[in-house]
């Protein structure tokens, strides 16, 4: 009913299939369904909308409706119903990519602690891996060879569970909880000062809980994450084991582009990769170089291109 009150030809971008389907059923004629997933799934389809995807492999999979009904010989999606745009990345990250990567390389060259950002997604489904990572990084943090940012989003209970498993977090950690202006100011300070220790972030407000990751990514050297939507982001990444099977192709894409690792399935694999990052900064430098190559190729321009497509402009 809300969408039915809009002009029929208004440019409309949906970042989830349900509002895309709602817009089509409300009679809107210029609907773009920005599909986030790199593995083709029928649940993301909104017939009557233009579908955009982030990768060439997703384009082929969705175009052919791969695996969506194994009992029938499906016809391909019409060419005018789908477009490959590139990764959906926030303007603030794309526009500052060269300077952010230069800062990572500069910090590595000057011997500053390597900054890890651990994002806790999936409602904390991988707590054991998080605990293992924190325990492994603690000695490096104490020796000022590493600094650790932990964002638990709005999962305060999970933070308590992490502290119970790693008691040092209660005593050796700076908390940035439920004060988004102060947390945002901290990220700005990280651009010009050396960061040490462990810093934890938690916000009950869902916008702040998610958005602080955007700000922290710009001042981090390595993002540790499952291969979810963050797999497509232009920051050096260590990919831990996925939660959903569909996320596997997020890690594959990151490994292909070269801005992240392959999926590290076990804590043993994660530990090996953490040792590699700690011992040899050439890995992080390589990922920064690949990010710059991908930037020049327009791989991170997906959000811009979705808007251009909706506005009827070429890209």
């Amino acid at each position: 009913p809300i969408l039915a009150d809009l002009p029929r030809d208004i440019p409309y971008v949906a970042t989830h299939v349900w509002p895309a389907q709602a817009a089509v059923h409300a009679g809107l004629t210029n609907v773009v369904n920005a599909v986030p997933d790199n593995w083709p799934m029928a649940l993301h389809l909104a017939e009557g909308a233009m579908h955009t995807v982030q990768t060439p492999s997703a384009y082929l999979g969705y175009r052919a409706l791969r695996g969506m009904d194994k009992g029938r010989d499906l016809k391909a999606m019409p060419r005018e119903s789908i477009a490959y745009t590139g990764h959906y990345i926030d303007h603030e990250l794309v526009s500052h990519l060269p300077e952010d990567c230069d800062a990572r390389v500069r910090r590595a060259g000057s011997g500053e602690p390597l900054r890890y950002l651990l994002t806790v997604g999936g409602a904390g489904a991988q707590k054991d891996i998080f605990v293992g990572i924190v325990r492994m990084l603690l000695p490096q943090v104490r020796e000022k060879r590493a600094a650790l940012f932990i964002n638990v989003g709005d999962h305060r209970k999970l933070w308590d569970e992490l502290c119970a498993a790693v008691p040092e977090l209660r005593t050796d950690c700076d908390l940035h909880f439920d004060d988004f202006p102060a947390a945002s100011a901290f990220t700005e300070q990280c651009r010009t000062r050396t960061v040490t220790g462990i810093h934890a972030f938690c916000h009950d407000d869902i916008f702040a809980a998610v958005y602080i990751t955007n700000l922290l990514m710009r001042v981090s050297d390595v993002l540790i994450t499952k291969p979810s939507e963050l797999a497509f982001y232009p920051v050096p990444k260590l990919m831990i084991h996925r939660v959903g099977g569909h996320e596997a192709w997020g890690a594959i894409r990151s490994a292909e582009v070269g801005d992240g690792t392959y999926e590290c399935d076990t804590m043993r694999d994660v530990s090996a990769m953490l040792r590699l990052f700690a011992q040899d900064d050439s890995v992080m430098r390589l990922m920064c170089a690949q990010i710059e190559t991908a930037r020049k190729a327009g791989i991170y321009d997906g959000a811009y291109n979705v808007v251009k497509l909706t506005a009827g402009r070429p890209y």
Side-chain angles (χ1 to χ4, degrees):
I2 295 174
L3 299 178
D5 288 337
L6 296 176
R8 292 292 183 265
D9 60 350
I10 191 171
Y12 180 95
V13 178
T15 55
H16 190 279
V17 62
W18 291 343
Q21 292 172 348
V24 171
H25 285 293
L28 271 62
T29 59
N30 187 13
V31 178
V32 169
N33 175 27
V35 178
D37 210 281
N38 203 29
W39 176 251
M41 292 191 290
L43 64 89
H44 285 301
L45 299 178
E47 189 173 1
M50 164 61 79
H51 299 72
T52 63
V53 291
Q54 299 189 86
T55 70
S57 63
Y59 176 87
L60 289 174
Y62 276 99
R63 183 88 190 271
L65 304 178
R66 180 184 180 186
M68 295 186 187
D69 189 342
K70 296 180 180 179
R72 291 191 297 160
D73 185 13
L74 299 177
K75 295 181 180 180
M77 184 184 293
R79 182 174 63 180
E80 61 272 15
S81 296
I82 186 169
Y84 160 59
T85 56
H87 298 189
Y88 312 139
I89 307 297
D90 310 70
H91 168 72
E92 63 188 334
L93 274 79
V94 179
S95 61
H96 293 289
L97 268 183
E99 65 188 81
D100 290 346
C101 281
D102 286 347
R104 293 181 182 111
V105 173
R106 185 173 62 253
R107 286 193 294 268
S110 62
E112 289 192 35
L114 190 65
R115 303 174 179 180
Y116 294 94
L117 169 57
L118 178 59
T119 61
V120 179
Q126 298 163 302
K127 186 184 73 174
D128 291 343
I129 295 179
F130 302 145
V131 169
I133 291 171
V134 173
R135 285 176 175 166
M136 183 171 181
L137 290 177
L138 271 176
Q140 298 179 36
V141 172
R142 293 192 183 107
E143 296 167 5
K144 296 187 178 180
R145 294 188 293 118
L148 179 59
F149 303 137
I150 304 175
N151 182 23
V152 296
D154 60 344
H155 306 300
R156 190 175 296 267
K157 180 181 177 182
L158 177 62
W159 173 249
D160 293 334
E161 293 174 355
L162 288 176
C163 290
V166 188
E168 292 90 340
L169 290 177
R170 294 195 185 279
T171 57
D172 302 336
C173 184
D174 290 337
L175 303 182
H176 306 265
F177 283 21
D178 287 326
D179 189 343
F180 182 75
S184 178
F186 169 77
T187 65
E188 285 296 321
Q189 295 167 7
C190 291
R191 301 188 194 285
T192 56
R193 75 176 194 184
T194 299
V195 178
T196 60
I198 302 175
H199 299 265
F201 301 81
C202 182
H203 294 84
D204 289 334
D205 177 77
I206 190 63
F207 175 83
V210 173
Y211 190 68
I212 195 64
T213 293
N214 275 35
L215 303 181
L216 288 168
M217 276 192 288
R218 288 197 56 198
V219 295
S220 298
D221 298 320
V222 179
L223 168 65
I224 303 175
T225 181
K226 69 186 182 76
S228 58
E229 287 80 2
L230 288 177
F232 301 91
Y233 273 67
V235 56
K237 295 177 291 289
L238 193 168
M239 295 292 184
I240 62 176
H241 188 55
R242 62 188 179 273
V243 173
H246 64 99
E247 293 178 336
W249 280 75
I252 290 172
R253 174 60 172 176
S254 180
E256 288 176 341
V257 173
D259 59 6
T261 70
Y262 49 83
E263 184 180 357
C264 296
D265 292 324
T266 65
M267 190 59 212
R268 181 178 180 179
D269 293 334
V270 173
S271 299
M273 195 59 67
L274 285 173
R275 287 194 297 271
L276 188 56
F277 274 111
Q279 295 167 2
D280 188 351
D281 64 19
S282 67
V283 178
M284 186 270 290
R285 290 173 181 265
L286 174 62
M287 290 183 181
C288 285
Q290 290 301 112
I291 288 171
E292 179 61 13
T293 298
R295 182 190 71 82
K296 291 179 179 178
I299 285 176
Y300 303 122
D301 289 347
Y304 300 139
N305 293 334
V306 167
V307 173
K308 291 177 181 178
L309 181 67
T310 314
R313 293 170 52 194
Y315 65 88

